[in-house]
Amino acid sequence: MALSLAATLLPATASAQSPTSSKAPARSGAGYKIERTPAWVKPIKPSAAAAAPTTTSPGYRITLMDYQTQLTADGGEHAYTHTRLAISDSAGVQAVSKVQVYFNPAFQTVSLHEAVVLRNGARLDRLKDARIELLRREEGLERMTLTGVQTLLVLLNDVRVGDAVEVAYTVHGTNPIYKGHYADTFQLGHPAAVDELQVRLEAPAGRTLHTRGIRSDATFERSTQGGRQVLTLTRRNIPPVIAEEQTPPWFKVYPALHVSDYADWQQVAAWAEDLFATPGDLGAELQGRIEAWRAKGLPRERLASEVIEFVQDEVRYFSVSLGESSHRPKPPARTLAERLGDCKDKTALLNAILQRLGFEARPVLISVGRNRGVADYLPAHDQFDHVITQLTLDGTVYWIDPTMQKQGRQLQTRGVASYGMGLVVSPSTTGLVRVGPGPSQAYTLEWDSVWDASDLKRTPTFTTTLRARGLAAEGWRAGVEAGGAERLAGAIAGAYARMLPGLKAVGSPTVRDNRDTNIFQLELKYEAPGLGQYDRGALAVELPALELLDSLVGPRELRREMPFLVDQPVQVRQRLRAIAPQRFTAPPPPPSEVVDKHFRVASRYEVNGNSFDYLLTYERRSDEVQPADLNGFREKLQTARRLGGVSVRLPLLSMEPLRAQFDEIDRRVTQKLGRQADTLRELVVRQEVERLFASELLRQVGDSGPLVGQLLERRAIANSNLADHDATLADADRALASAPEARYSHYTRGLALMSLGRGGEALSAMQQFTNPNNRAALAMGLGNAQYYQGELADAERNFNQAVQESSGNDRVFALSWLYIASQKAGGKGRSVVLPHLPDVSRGSWPGVLVHYLAGEASQDEVIERAKENKSMERLNLSEAYFYMGQQLLLAGKTSEAKRMFRRTVDLQATPYREFAFAELELKRSEP
């Protein structure tokens, strides 16, 4: 049967009523003739109906599509195709000007009738000067398939946007392997809109033809013409069918009509029975092998498995489907001698061996392309594209695909694909049977991911172990066979490396493959220097279940009209384990579950000493999602994806030995701040504890542990917040020396130098802090350093940048410093901040500070606002006194300013920058 014009989705076009159809062109070539349209063809009656609606176009619309088939009394078949395509853009020119007719010269020939360009009311014959080439392009060769199908390529000259192109041809002949039976599927929908469509089939009056619409309610109109039966379907204004991604194979994307002369599936099985008839003499080599197997005296299951493994692994796959060999297998002796065959050859060989050894083995026709969708069609030979073996042993049925390789050696655990429905080739067959895996043959995957940070003196490690069973094991086994374990390891590592830069492989992948149990295991080990972030005596880590998340995918389209294929393993289990230096003391969270009719995801936690496990299970409950269920499926999917990972804090310290030091911190803070429970006390205690934790861990890890840089950086920040500037400087210097990636230490170092009155060095240090997460904070730090160095213009620029890039309270303090620098530089502070005042709240803290500096609010109003929140009162007052001091200093009231700075210092709000700046101002005011 021919296919093709416009990207092989459409049969090519021509007109039975055109003037050229009555003329007999003189040209012909190998495999084809140019001749008039056959007399049996009946042109479609033109319609004045409106054009088919369309919202999208592949570059053309189909104004006419006409399929006509003649079946003759001697079993002959003639398939006529005629289309007219109107070109709408340049893409359409490329598609429509190239006509491709596929046929098999072993039993088919082609007649070209016409190729016409319609332009401005004129019919321009393009067939007479067309370039016609006969190509043998084995498009399945890379899939080890040789079909003998050839392509008649017709290249039309001078085709333009706005033209319509008509092409007509007939393909004569049918494969004799069908024994005079007829079956065909006529496509009624296409990617392009169709204005008019006709399907016409004529056959001898006594021939029974069954018809069925596939995703269509279309039916033929039956009549008798000239003593022959005629089936006709005419349709108009057919909208385009837009194919959607990930559509199940059993769903017919393009509506169609199926025609078959088979009465039932039993008749189809009888046709196939003749193809796989008893092979007769098996030859000396094959018979010798059979006797050798028989002589081993193996248990029945072991014997069958050994035979299957031989046929699968020792006879390589290659399909030569020329003529009748498209469906009839080679003699088993020949397949063995050549060590070469396709699915039918290898099935015939396997069945012949098994049958001679006393097993019950039958061919089974299946459809990889249609899967269980075969049941939607009429009984026919044209629905199958693959054949496997049904082996019955001790009452149990096993499905064996001889084309597979490296399968498990036990029948119970051997992988079986979900083939859908199949037809067992047997005299007792009356219908289709379901073909798929049994309970012990499920496609399952297990992933164990272990993150080990138990030793503070060495780099954390990450070990991931895959365990695959059944078909999954065989897929991974084949992957190793094809590309090697290193290649697979690289693909897995790439996904993790995007999440965890610096991941480094340790050693080679370890493969443990047991074909007897059909379990494949792959273990990969890495160093993970970037694992987690240090946080207050713990390592905060994010552990993703990347492999399980791969199963939680949905369609990209917001809306669909077709089912969505859920093509995932039946079950995926993943364990994420984190191993800490110390015992986990917090109780684990409760288990969780997301249930949908299409899948189930369950999670639970287990804690055992210093080991924390997060266990996830995915179960597929359905292999498709109907459009009506899509919204609910997507919502459940998003909920389930939130379970696809866990955040966990790995305890690095044991708290019990630190009790005495906690008491000392409480005593020291009480002596300094009193017992008033407010935010200031909380912040200072937090920084004291942070410094204690970091110091204790540094004592344990020494100078070379992977956390040294982070610990020194955190202790430097804590020392800075406790106004211990010399200690801050020392820790920042050590952090940068041991871990250059500790970039924040440049900023912390700059603050310490500034507080120590070393402004030039502070400015230089901060300028080395590149690519900060908070550019506004860096601009503020640079502005402060420049201000105290007297570089007022540069300070103004940085404070202005901070204003532009910050919001909330940070923006208020940036405006305050912009005022101070601008006022000191030239008395223009008020004019600089005045445009911003409407955006800053005067009635709340700290917005009132900007209004105060601009002369809009009084000192009393500032103090009142500072005291409104009792928990924040001391901290707010430290800020209030400092900025009042700055305003007084700018007004030349040095003594009053010093009193305000002294009040700031007396409050001991060391976590606030104003404390250090107030100390600096007091030092600057000393003679």
Side-chain angles (χ1 to χ4, degrees), residues 429-450:
T429 290
T430 58
L432 300 172
V433 296
R434 186 168 297 279
V435 181
S440 63
Q441 297 170 315
Y443 187 117
T444 65
L445 291 171
E446 295 177 12
W447 293 88
D448 277 349
S449 301
V450 180

PDB file of all heavy atoms in Angstrom, residues 429-450:
ATOM      1  N   THR A 429      -7.636 -21.389  19.293  1.00  0.00           N
ATOM      2  CA  THR A 429      -7.806 -19.957  19.570  1.00  0.00           C
ATOM      3  C   THR A 429      -9.148 -19.461  19.068  1.00  0.00           C
ATOM      4  O   THR A 429      -9.557 -19.739  17.934  1.00  0.00           O
ATOM      5  CB  THR A 429      -6.675 -19.159  18.898  1.00  0.00           C
ATOM      6  OG1 THR A 429      -5.451 -19.436  19.577  1.00  0.00           O
ATOM      7  CG2 THR A 429      -6.954 -17.667  18.955  1.00  0.00           C
ATOM      8  N   THR A 430      -9.819 -18.707  19.923  1.00  0.00           N
ATOM      9  CA  THR A 430     -11.089 -18.078  19.526  1.00  0.00           C
ATOM     10  C   THR A 430     -11.069 -16.566  19.709  1.00  0.00           C
ATOM     11  O   THR A 430     -11.992 -15.891  19.275  1.00  0.00           O
ATOM     12  CB  THR A 430     -12.252 -18.661  20.345  1.00  0.00           C
ATOM     13  OG1 THR A 430     -11.985 -18.451  21.743  1.00  0.00           O
ATOM     14  CG2 THR A 430     -12.410 -20.149  20.070  1.00  0.00           C
ATOM     15  N   GLY A 431     -10.053 -16.054  20.362  1.00  0.00           N
ATOM     16  CA  GLY A 431     -10.006 -14.613  20.592  1.00  0.00           C
ATOM     17  C   GLY A 431      -8.642 -14.181  21.080  1.00  0.00           C
ATOM     18  O   GLY A 431      -7.698 -14.974  21.187  1.00  0.00           O
ATOM     19  N   LEU A 432      -8.519 -12.914  21.373  1.00  0.00           N
ATOM     20  CA  LEU A 432      -7.272 -12.341  21.868  1.00  0.00           C
ATOM     21  C   LEU A 432      -7.086 -12.688  23.341  1.00  0.00           C
ATOM     22  O   LEU A 432      -8.059 -12.915  24.067  1.00  0.00           O
ATOM     23  CB  LEU A 432      -7.278 -10.823  21.695  1.00  0.00           C
ATOM     24  CG  LEU A 432      -7.424 -10.303  20.259  1.00  0.00           C
ATOM     25  CD1 LEU A 432      -7.619  -8.786  20.274  1.00  0.00           C
ATOM     26  CD2 LEU A 432      -6.209 -10.667  19.421  1.00  0.00           C
ATOM     27  N   VAL A 433      -5.831 -12.704  23.782  1.00  0.00           N
ATOM     28  CA  VAL A 433      -5.517 -12.928  25.196  1.00  0.00           C
ATOM     29  C   VAL A 433      -4.619 -11.797  25.686  1.00  0.00           C
ATOM     30  O   VAL A 433      -3.909 -11.147  24.900  1.00  0.00           O
ATOM     31  CB  VAL A 433      -4.801 -14.283  25.415  1.00  0.00           C
ATOM     32  CG1 VAL A 433      -5.716 -15.428  25.036  1.00  0.00           C
ATOM     33  CG2 VAL A 433      -3.499 -14.348  24.629  1.00  0.00           C
ATOM     34  N   ARG A 434      -4.673 -11.565  26.985  1.00  0.00           N
ATOM     35  CA  ARG A 434      -3.825 -10.525  27.563  1.00  0.00           C
ATOM     36  C   ARG A 434      -2.409 -11.069  27.727  1.00  0.00           C
ATOM     37  O   ARG A 434      -2.215 -12.174  28.231  1.00  0.00           O
ATOM     38  CB  ARG A 434      -4.385 -10.079  28.909  1.00  0.00           C
ATOM     39  CG  ARG A 434      -3.635  -8.887  29.522  1.00  0.00           C
ATOM     40  CD  ARG A 434      -4.406  -8.307  30.687  1.00  0.00           C
ATOM     41  NE  ARG A 434      -5.689  -7.773  30.263  1.00  0.00           N
ATOM     42  CZ  ARG A 434      -5.858  -6.574  29.708  1.00  0.00           C
ATOM     43  NH1 ARG A 434      -4.798  -5.798  29.495  1.00  0.00           N
ATOM     44  NH2 ARG A 434      -7.062  -6.153  29.374  1.00  0.00           N
ATOM     45  N   VAL A 435      -1.434 -10.266  27.291  1.00  0.00           N
ATOM     46  CA  VAL A 435      -0.030 -10.667  27.332  1.00  0.00           C
ATOM     47  C   VAL A 435       0.746  -9.638  28.142  1.00  0.00           C
ATOM     48  O   VAL A 435       0.834  -8.459  27.754  1.00  0.00           O
ATOM     49  CB  VAL A 435       0.561 -10.777  25.916  1.00  0.00           C
ATOM     50  CG1 VAL A 435       2.019 -11.227  25.978  1.00  0.00           C
ATOM     51  CG2 VAL A 435      -0.259 -11.727  25.059  1.00  0.00           C
ATOM     52  N   GLY A 436       1.297 -10.079  29.268  1.00  0.00           N
ATOM     53  CA  GLY A 436       2.043  -9.147  30.110  1.00  0.00           C
ATOM     54  C   GLY A 436       2.700  -9.851  31.269  1.00  0.00           C
ATOM     55  O   GLY A 436       2.600 -11.072  31.413  1.00  0.00           O
ATOM     56  N   PRO A 437       3.375  -9.106  32.119  1.00  0.00           N
ATOM     57  CA  PRO A 437       4.125  -9.713  33.221  1.00  0.00           C
ATOM     58  C   PRO A 437       3.213 -10.245  34.311  1.00  0.00           C
ATOM     59  O   PRO A 437       2.126  -9.726  34.556  1.00  0.00           O
ATOM     60  CB  PRO A 437       4.977  -8.552  33.744  1.00  0.00           C
ATOM     61  CG  PRO A 437       4.203  -7.321  33.368  1.00  0.00           C
ATOM     62  CD  PRO A 437       3.531  -7.638  32.079  1.00  0.00           C
ATOM     63  N   GLY A 438       3.691 -11.289  34.975  1.00  0.00           N
ATOM     64  CA  GLY A 438       3.014 -11.798  36.152  1.00  0.00           C
ATOM     65  C   GLY A 438       3.478 -11.057  37.387  1.00  0.00           C
ATOM     66  O   GLY A 438       4.352 -10.180  37.321  1.00  0.00           O
ATOM     67  N   PRO A 439       2.928 -11.382  38.568  1.00  0.00           N
ATOM     68  CA  PRO A 439       3.264 -10.658  39.803  1.00  0.00           C
ATOM     69  C   PRO A 439       4.756 -10.670  40.128  1.00  0.00           C
ATOM     70  O   PRO A 439       5.295  -9.692  40.641  1.00  0.00           O
ATOM     71  CB  PRO A 439       2.460 -11.397  40.876  1.00  0.00           C
ATOM     72  CG  PRO A 439       1.337 -12.051  40.126  1.00  0.00           C
ATOM     73  CD  PRO A 439       1.896 -12.406  38.782  1.00  0.00           C
ATOM     74  N   SER A 440       5.443 -11.771  39.829  1.00  0.00           N
ATOM     75  CA  SER A 440       6.873 -11.857  40.160  1.00  0.00           C
ATOM     76  C   SER A 440       7.763 -11.292  39.066  1.00  0.00           C
ATOM     77  O   SER A 440       8.983 -11.314  39.187  1.00  0.00           O
ATOM     78  CB  SER A 440       7.254 -13.323  40.415  1.00  0.00           C
ATOM     79  OG  SER A 440       7.069 -14.102  39.242  1.00  0.00           O
ATOM     80  N   GLN A 441       7.151 -10.797  37.996  1.00  0.00           N
ATOM     81  CA  GLN A 441       7.921 -10.270  36.871  1.00  0.00           C
ATOM     82  C   GLN A 441       7.764  -8.763  36.733  1.00  0.00           C
ATOM     83  O   GLN A 441       8.031  -8.198  35.689  1.00  0.00           O
ATOM     84  CB  GLN A 441       7.465 -10.942  35.573  1.00  0.00           C
ATOM     85  CG  GLN A 441       7.701 -12.444  35.551  1.00  0.00           C
ATOM     86  CD  GLN A 441       7.023 -13.112  34.373  1.00  0.00           C
ATOM     87  OE1 GLN A 441       5.871 -12.846  34.063  1.00  0.00           O
ATOM     88  NE2 GLN A 441       7.760 -13.998  33.706  1.00  0.00           N
ATOM     89  N   ALA A 442       7.327  -8.101  37.795  1.00  0.00           N
ATOM     90  CA  ALA A 442       7.052  -6.665  37.735  1.00  0.00           C
ATOM     91  C   ALA A 442       8.327  -5.869  37.493  1.00  0.00           C
ATOM     92  O   ALA A 442       9.424  -6.254  37.904  1.00  0.00           O
ATOM     93  CB  ALA A 442       6.390  -6.201  39.031  1.00  0.00           C
ATOM     94  N   TYR A 443       8.154  -4.753  36.843  1.00  0.00           N
ATOM     95  CA  TYR A 443       9.243  -3.819  36.539  1.00  0.00           C
ATOM     96  C   TYR A 443       9.454  -2.948  37.778  1.00  0.00           C
ATOM     97  O   TYR A 443       8.721  -2.010  38.024  1.00  0.00           O
ATOM     98  CB  TYR A 443       8.837  -2.963  35.341  1.00  0.00           C
ATOM     99  CG  TYR A 443       9.907  -2.062  34.776  1.00  0.00           C
ATOM    100  CD1 TYR A 443      10.371  -2.240  33.481  1.00  0.00           C
ATOM    101  CD2 TYR A 443      10.434  -1.010  35.507  1.00  0.00           C
ATOM    102  CE1 TYR A 443      11.335  -1.403  32.930  1.00  0.00           C
ATOM    103  CE2 TYR A 443      11.399  -0.168  34.977  1.00  0.00           C
ATOM    104  CZ  TYR A 443      11.842  -0.372  33.694  1.00  0.00           C
ATOM    105  OH  TYR A 443      12.797   0.448  33.169  1.00  0.00           O
ATOM    106  N   THR A 444      10.459  -3.283  38.603  1.00  0.00           N
ATOM    107  CA  THR A 444      10.666  -2.563  39.857  1.00  0.00           C
ATOM    108  C   THR A 444      12.101  -2.069  39.962  1.00  0.00           C
ATOM    109  O   THR A 444      13.032  -2.697  39.463  1.00  0.00           O
ATOM    110  CB  THR A 444      10.353  -3.448  41.078  1.00  0.00           C
ATOM    111  OG1 THR A 444      11.281  -4.530  41.122  1.00  0.00           O
ATOM    112  CG2 THR A 444       8.940  -3.991  41.009  1.00  0.00           C
ATOM    113  N   LEU A 445      12.244  -0.941  40.637  1.00  0.00           N
ATOM    114  CA  LEU A 445      13.548  -0.324  40.874  1.00  0.00           C
ATOM    115  C   LEU A 445      13.671   0.039  42.347  1.00  0.00           C
ATOM    116  O   LEU A 445      12.693   0.478  42.971  1.00  0.00           O
ATOM    117  CB  LEU A 445      13.717   0.953  40.041  1.00  0.00           C
ATOM    118  CG  LEU A 445      13.837   0.808  38.521  1.00  0.00           C
ATOM    119  CD1 LEU A 445      13.764   2.169  37.864  1.00  0.00           C
ATOM    120  CD2 LEU A 445      15.134   0.113  38.159  1.00  0.00           C
ATOM    121  N   GLU A 446      14.867  -0.121  42.881  1.00  0.00           N
ATOM    122  CA  GLU A 446      15.157   0.315  44.250  1.00  0.00           C
ATOM    123  C   GLU A 446      16.437   1.148  44.208  1.00  0.00           C
ATOM    124  O   GLU A 446      17.414   0.770  43.562  1.00  0.00           O
ATOM    125  CB  GLU A 446      15.366  -0.877  45.186  1.00  0.00           C
ATOM    126  CG  GLU A 446      14.141  -1.733  45.382  1.00  0.00           C
ATOM    127  CD  GLU A 446      14.436  -2.938  46.268  1.00  0.00           C
ATOM    128  OE1 GLU A 446      15.527  -2.954  46.884  1.00  0.00           O
ATOM    129  OE2 GLU A 446      13.596  -3.846  46.330  1.00  0.00           O
ATOM    130  N   TRP A 447      16.405   2.272  44.915  1.00  0.00           N
ATOM    131  CA  TRP A 447      17.577   3.136  45.005  1.00  0.00           C
ATOM    132  C   TRP A 447      17.897   3.375  46.483  1.00  0.00           C
ATOM    133  O   TRP A 447      17.022   3.743  47.260  1.00  0.00           O
ATOM    134  CB  TRP A 447      17.320   4.488  44.336  1.00  0.00           C
ATOM    135  CG  TRP A 447      17.135   4.429  42.858  1.00  0.00           C
ATOM    136  CD1 TRP A 447      15.975   4.225  42.182  1.00  0.00           C
ATOM    137  CD2 TRP A 447      18.154   4.591  41.860  1.00  0.00           C
ATOM    138  NE1 TRP A 447      16.191   4.249  40.842  1.00  0.00           N
ATOM    139  CE2 TRP A 447      17.528   4.470  40.604  1.00  0.00           C
ATOM    140  CE3 TRP A 447      19.529   4.831  41.912  1.00  0.00           C
ATOM    141  CZ2 TRP A 447      18.225   4.586  39.409  1.00  0.00           C
ATOM    142  CZ3 TRP A 447      20.221   4.949  40.720  1.00  0.00           C
ATOM    143  CH2 TRP A 447      19.583   4.819  39.485  1.00  0.00           C
ATOM    144  N   ASP A 448      19.139   3.141  46.845  1.00  0.00           N
ATOM    145  CA  ASP A 448      19.632   3.479  48.184  1.00  0.00           C
ATOM    146  C   ASP A 448      20.673   4.582  48.034  1.00  0.00           C
ATOM    147  O   ASP A 448      21.689   4.387  47.359  1.00  0.00           O
ATOM    148  CB  ASP A 448      20.285   2.261  48.851  1.00  0.00           C
ATOM    149  CG  ASP A 448      19.270   1.356  49.507  1.00  0.00           C
ATOM    150  OD1 ASP A 448      18.111   1.778  49.617  1.00  0.00           O
ATOM    151  OD2 ASP A 448      19.627   0.228  49.887  1.00  0.00           O
ATOM    152  N   SER A 449      20.402   5.713  48.651  1.00  0.00           N
ATOM    153  CA  SER A 449      21.336   6.836  48.609  1.00  0.00           C
ATOM    154  C   SER A 449      21.806   7.112  50.034  1.00  0.00           C
ATOM    155  O   SER A 449      20.992   7.449  50.901  1.00  0.00           O
ATOM    156  CB  SER A 449      20.657   8.072  48.028  1.00  0.00           C
ATOM    157  OG  SER A 449      20.177   7.823  46.719  1.00  0.00           O
ATOM    158  N   VAL A 450      23.091   6.952  50.267  1.00  0.00           N
ATOM    159  CA  VAL A 450      23.653   7.111  51.612  1.00  0.00           C
ATOM    160  C   VAL A 450      24.620   8.289  51.609  1.00  0.00           C
ATOM    161  O   VAL A 450      25.619   8.289  50.878  1.00  0.00           O
ATOM    162  CB  VAL A 450      24.391   5.833  52.066  1.00  0.00           C
ATOM    163  CG1 VAL A 450      24.961   6.029  53.466  1.00  0.00           C
ATOM    164  CG2 VAL A 450      23.442   4.640  52.035  1.00  0.00           C
TER     165      VAL A 450
END
